[in-house]
């Protein structure tokens, strides 16, 4: 009965009961507000890489700023999984003209839109965010100004010093115990959070460790979050940063890995110091220890958190190395398409309809130029000079130098290997790259794969550079050209199969290859006749505001099918 809400918690200690008796409920100390329910996330939310970036605004302080920006898309806090301090900034919401479309839609469902579009006066204010539903422990994150809020990602609002205090407290071990007493389920409610008792603020606000610790914790977590290309503040790949660059890629990775370990241990030290402060503030020294296991240091560069489970150190290191090399491949493809450039940090081409000329305006003398026509063939063999495997090799030479190129490529192929055997980089691109890309972008890929039914023909395009004639370029300059090259190679093989100077083994091999090519040609002819040619004549247009879910399906069977993309909200 001494605990607000009277939960059944007969095991609670006298020290924790005293905390509930003497502590200040969080709801009396700060405003805890739930966000809106759009009633149709597919219509109003976008994973941020989907949109044309020039249509977004990330720093509006209030509605007036938002209107003056003339932007359509604004950051949207939607909760997320288990990650402390900073992160899960992934979505934008259509809040053009003060949320005109969202509000009008809400009016068609409810007599009053304020039933679902709630707490508007708190939009764009800085806060601390958390998620109602999480499979891991409870966690809170620093949310800067400029965000709107989802019903599943509420915010805690107060002045900056109080927010630091609350964030430090809520990510401490005593708060975790108290929250479990209030609600032992995975579905946390605002009512649970507002009842959580805080230790005396006046007593602790002068505690230097809190004031200094929180910015450091947020900074480390933010640096980790922004090291991935799926962060909108991503600038360049950590492997390419001057601080870690060594003569070989292997040595570069080793230096970067050592830095990641230092980051993880520093985060652990800061979190344990934070725990110590709040354990003492709650008077729970006899019940709790400040230790934080590595699996709860929520940095992507920490394999104990990233992969978890019961894997040993060797397995964890192998997974981290492989994923880092996959990220290198992804960044290289981004440079091929002009989304990124080795010579300039951050996004380059990220707006609808931008082309190679727009790229050259930003990167006049590129060391590794983007592809001019926005089509990258991905085939089994060196059929085109701009083939994806060949472009990756060129990228590797430019980014890490010619001297150790062979060793660097072997290092990547070994990291991507299976069962202890290295893997040819072309094999990775053909079999796994696109699946990795779809997973990385959460089934909202920004690179689209034109693929014949059995995969004999594959070409990637970058959706932000898509034009109505892009399908024609794929058809005329790549599919038909590839078929012509196959036919020429087939003629050569036929000559070998009847040549008196060829061995029987060579003739048998040639005949098998001819049979394979015949099947490929038939497949591609059908793909052209039934799919690609009709689509090319349509001169299909897309609007990035509609999102990948709509635009990808417009190109139908021309593109590789993504399971679940045509289903409802995910």
């Amino acid at each position: 009965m001494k605990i607000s809400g009277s939960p059944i918690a007969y095991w609670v200690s006298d020290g924790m009961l005293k905390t509930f008796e003497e502590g200040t409920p969080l709801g009396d100390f700060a405003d805890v507000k739930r966000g809106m329910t759009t009633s149709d996330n597919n219509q109003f939310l976008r994973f941020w890489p989907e949109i044309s970036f020039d249509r977004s605004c990330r720093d509006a302080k209030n509605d007036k700023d938002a209107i003056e920006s003339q932007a359509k898309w604004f950051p949207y806090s939607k909760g997320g999984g288990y990650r402390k301090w900073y992160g899960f900034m992934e979505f934008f919401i259509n809040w053009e003209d003060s949320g005109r479309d969202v509000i009008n839609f809400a009016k068609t469902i409810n007599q009053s839109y304020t039933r679902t579009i709630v707490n508007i006066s708190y939009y764009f204010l800085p806060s601390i965010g958390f998620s109602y539903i999480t499979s891991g422990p409870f966690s809170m994150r620093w949310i800067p100004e400029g965000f709107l809020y989802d019903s599943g990602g509420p915010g805690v609002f107060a002045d900056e010093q109080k927010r630091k205090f609350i964030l430090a407290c809520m990510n401490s071990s005593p708060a975790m115990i108290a929250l479990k007493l209030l609600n032992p389920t995975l579905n946390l409610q605002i009512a649970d959070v507002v009842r959580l008792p805080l230790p005396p603020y006046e007593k602790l606000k002068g505690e230097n460790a809190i004031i200094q610790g929180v910015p450091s914790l947020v900074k480390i977590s933010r640096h980790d979050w922004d090291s991935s290309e799926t962060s909108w503040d991503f600038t360049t790949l950590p492997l390419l940063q001057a601080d870690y660059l060594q003569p070989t890629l292997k040595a570069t990775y080793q230096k970067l890995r050592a830095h990641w370990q230092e980051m993880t241990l520093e985060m652990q030290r800061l979190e344990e110091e934070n725990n110590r402060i709040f354990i003492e503030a709650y008077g729970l020294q006899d019940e709790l220890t400040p230790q934080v296991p590595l699996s709860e240091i929520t940095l992507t560069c920490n394999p104990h958190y990233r992969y978890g489970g019961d894997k040993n150190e060797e397995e964890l290191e192998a997974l981290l190395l492989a994923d880092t090399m996959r990220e290198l491949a992804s960044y290289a493809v981004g440079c091929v398409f002009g989304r990124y450039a080795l010579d300039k940090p951050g996004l380059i081409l990220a707006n609808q309809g931008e082309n190679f000329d727009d790229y050259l305006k930003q990167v006049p003398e590129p060391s590794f130029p983007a592809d001019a026509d926005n089509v990258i063939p991905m085939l089994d063999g060196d059929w085109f000079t701009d083939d994806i495997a060949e472009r990756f090799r060129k990228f590797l030479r430019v980014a890490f130098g010619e001297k150790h190129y062979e060793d660097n490529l072997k290092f990547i192929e070994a990291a991507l290997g299976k069962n202890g055997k290295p893997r040819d980089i072309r094999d990775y691109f053909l079999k796994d790259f696109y699946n990795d890309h779809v997973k990385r972008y959460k089934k909202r890929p920004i690179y689209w794969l034109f693929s014949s039914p059995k995969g004999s023909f594959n070409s990637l395009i970058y959706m932000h550079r898509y034009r109505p004639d892009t399908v024609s370029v794929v058809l005329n300059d790549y599919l038909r050209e590839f078929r012509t090259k196959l036919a020429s190679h087939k003629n050569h093989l036929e000559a070998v199969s009847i040549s008196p100077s060829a061995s029987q083994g060579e003739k048998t091999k040639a005949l098998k290859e001819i049979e394979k090519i015949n099947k490929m040609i038939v497949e591609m002819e059908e793909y052209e006749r039934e799919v690609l040619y009709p689509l090319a004549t349509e001169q299909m247009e897309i609007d990035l505001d509609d999102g990948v879910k709509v635009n990808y399906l417009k190109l139908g069977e021309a593109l590789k099918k993504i399971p679940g993309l045509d289903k409802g909200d995910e």
Side-chain angles (χ1 to χ4, degrees):
M1 295 299 293
K2 292 179 180 179
I3 300 176
S4 176
S6 302
I8 299 175
Y10 52 84
W11 58 86
V12 68
S13 68
D14 291 339
M16 186 59 76
L17 276 178
K18 187 177 179 182
T19 293
F20 277 93
E21 286 184 286
E22 298 180 356
T24 302
L26 193 153
D28 292 348
F29 186 74
D31 293 335
V32 185
K33 300 293 181 181
R34 72 181 180 92
M36 73 176 81
T37 300
T38 70
S39 302
D40 189 346
N41 284 349
N42 276 331
Q43 184 176 349
F44 299 115
L45 299 190
R46 298 287 178 267
F47 188 43
W48 78 265
E50 295 181 75
I51 67 162
S52 190
F53 211 59
D54 61 0
R55 299 270 284 147
S56 68
C57 173
R58 296 188 294 134
D59 57 2
K61 294 180 175 62
N62 49 49
D63 196 54
K64 180 174 179 289
D65 283 355
I67 292 171
E68 290 178 353
S69 74
Q70 297 186 320
K72 180 171 184 174
W73 301 101
F74 296 86
Y76 192 66
S77 178
K78 204 175 182 294
Y82 177 47
R83 184 182 174 95
K84 292 173 282 187
W85 311 110
Y86 190 91
F88 291 132
M89 297 172 181
E90 301 175 307
F91 292 93
F92 280 146
I93 185 170
N94 170 9
W95 197 252
E96 189 174 21
D97 193 16
S98 299
R100 177 194 62 230
D101 294 341
V102 180
I103 288 172
N104 286 341
F105 185 78
K107 288 177 179 176
T108 66
I109 298 175
N110 305 300
Q111 289 183 337
S112 172
Y113 72 88
T114 55
R115 291 179 60 185
T116 52
I117 314 301
V118 298
N119 298 314
I120 292 178
S121 62
Y122 287 85
Y123 295 173
F124 304 109
L125 297 179
S127 73
I128 305 164
F130 62 96
S131 177
Y132 277 148
I133 302 173
T134 175
S135 57
F138 177 79
S139 57
M140 274 194 163
R141 292 169 290 279
W142 190 264
I143 307 290
E145 64 189 9
F147 279 73
L148 291 85
Y149 302 88
D150 185 78
S151 59
V156 180
F157 299 86
D159 66 47
E160 184 174 351
Q161 290 297 88
K162 286 185 176 180
R163 292 201 312 278
K164 289 178 183 177
F165 174 75
I166 294 168
L167 182 61
C169 179
M170 297 298 282
N171 281 338
S172 72
S173 51
M176 304 295 173
I177 301 296
L179 278 173
K180 286 181 180 178
L181 291 175
L182 292 168
N183 187 341
T185 74
L186 295 179
N187 298 327
L188 199 68
Q189 301 297 319
I190 281 183
D192 304 318
V193 176
V194 298
R195 288 184 291 148
L196 187 125
L198 299 175
Y201 174 64
E202 293 302 324
K203 176 183 173 184
L204 284 176
K205 74 173 183 177
E207 171 65 68
N208 286 334
I210 294 179
I211 304 304
Q212 295 172 4
V214 170
S216 296
L217 287 158
V218 171
K219 182 180 179 181
I220 293 172
S221 185
R222 179 170 186 166
H223 175 76
D224 176 71
W225 180 258
D226 291 342
S227 294
S228 167
E229 67 177 67
T230 50
S231 164
W232 55 55
D233 285 319
F234 172 80
T235 54
T236 191
L237 209 63
L239 278 171
L240 293 168
Q241 292 173 6
D243 290 346
Y244 316 113
L245 213 52
Q246 299 293 302
T248 66
L249 178 57
K250 180 179 180 179
T252 298
Y253 176 76
Q254 288 172 339
K255 186 168 184 180
L256 177 62
R257 180 69 187 101
H259 169 68
W260 284 345
Q261 288 173 323
E262 290 171 7
M263 276 175 59
T264 303
L265 293 175
E266 175 63 5
M267 183 72 105
Q268 187 181 44
R269 184 190 71 77
L270 289 168
E271 289 200 22
E272 289 180 348
E273 175 62 15
N274 188 63
N275 278 346
R276 182 193 63 75
I277 292 168
F278 282 98
I279 287 170
E280 290 181 5
Y282 280 108
L284 299 174
Q285 298 94 320
D286 296 335
E287 301 177 38
L288 299 175
T289 62
Q291 277 70 38
V292 182
L294 281 175
S295 60
E296 293 181 14
I297 304 301
T298 57
L299 299 175
T300 308
C301 68
N302 170 24
H304 296 271
Y305 158 72
R306 186 169 179 174
Y307 307 112
D310 55 357
K311 299 176 181 66
N312 61 41
E313 287 290 335
E314 185 178 349
E315 291 170 324
L316 291 173
E317 290 300 328
L319 287 169
L320 186 62
L321 172 60
D323 276 344
T324 305
M325 294 305 109
R326 290 187 184 99
E327 288 157 10
L328 176 63
S330 179
Y331 180 75
V333 172
C335 289
V336 171
F337 281 124
R339 182 170 176 83
Y340 309 110
L342 285 173
D343 312 283
K344 185 179 179 181
L347 293 170
I348 308 299
L349 301 183
N351 303 312
Q352 178 154 2
E354 289 185 323
N355 55 36
F356 188 63
D357 289 338
D358 296 309
Y359 174 84
L360 291 177
K361 289 175 185 175
Q362 295 195 56
V363 192
E365 297 180 0
S367 58
F368 178 78
D371 186 75
D373 66 7
N374 189 38
V375 181
I376 305 297
M378 200 157 71
L379 303 168
D380 189 6
D382 294 318
W383 298 96
F384 291 89
T385 57
D386 62 345
D387 170 82
I388 194 166
E390 186 56 38
R391 289 306 309 268
F392 179 78
R393 294 186 189 106
K394 175 66 175 174
F395 169 88
L396 196 60
R397 286 185 163 99
V398 174
F400 293 97
E402 185 69 45
K403 184 177 180 180
H404 298 284
Y405 163 73
E406 293 294 342
D407 288 339
N408 291 340
L409 183 60
K410 287 178 182 177
F411 180 69
I412 294 168
E413 292 180 335
L416 296 175
K418 294 184 177 180
N419 302 318
K421 296 180 180 179
R423 187 179 189 193
D424 182 80
I425 194 65
R426 182 181 298 282
D427 185 65
Y428 167 72
F429 276 114
L430 283 175
K431 295 179 181 177
D432 285 342
F433 171 79
Y434 199 63
N435 290 335
D436 287 346
H437 176 69
V438 170
K439 183 179 179 181
R440 178 173 289 108
Y441 284 84
K442 299 187 176 181
K443 294 189 178 180
R444 300 294 185 269
I446 58 173
Y447 310 138
W448 294 354
L449 183 60
F450 283 82
S451 184
S452 58
K454 294 181 180 178
S456 295
F457 174 81
N458 299 284
S459 278
L460 279 175
I461 69 160
Y462 175 30
M463 74 172 192
H464 289 61
R465 292 179 61 188
Y466 175 90
R467 305 181 316 188
D469 68 343
T470 295
V471 181
S472 295
V473 175
V474 173
L475 172 61
N476 294 315
D477 296 353
Y478 292 92
L479 178 71
R480 288 173 175 171
E481 181 69 16
F482 181 41
R483 204 167 62 228
T484 298
K485 291 180 177 183
L486 278 176
S488 176
H489 185 52
K490 176 185 167 185
N491 291 337
H492 167 71
L493 292 170
E494 287 173 340
V496 171
S497 70
I498 60 174
S499 172
S501 61
S503 68
Q504 188 57 45
E506 289 171 332
K507 292 180 180 180
T508 301
K509 184 179 178 182
L511 288 170
K512 287 183 178 179
E513 188 70 13
I514 290 168
E515 184 180 358
K516 178 183 175 183
I517 289 174
N518 283 335
K519 291 178 180 178
M520 291 172 68
I521 290 174
V522 169
E523 177 193 347
M524 286 187 283
E525 285 175 343
E526 183 178 342
Y527 179 58
E528 174 182 340
R529 182 177 63 253
E530 301 295 331
V531 179
L532 217 52
Y533 178 75
L535 188 62
T537 61
E538 281 188 57
Q539 295 279 296
M540 180 76 70
E541 294 195 23
I542 68 170
D543 183 347
L544 292 189
D545 281 348
D546 292 336
V548 169
K549 202 175 180 78
V550 169
N551 289 318
Y552 198 91
L553 296 178
K554 279 185 177 180
L555 301 187
E557 295 181 3
L559 300 179
K560 186 174 179 66
K561 183 177 176 61
I562 298 175
L565 189 65
D566 55 350
K567 299 284 173 46
D569 192 23
E570 296 173 45

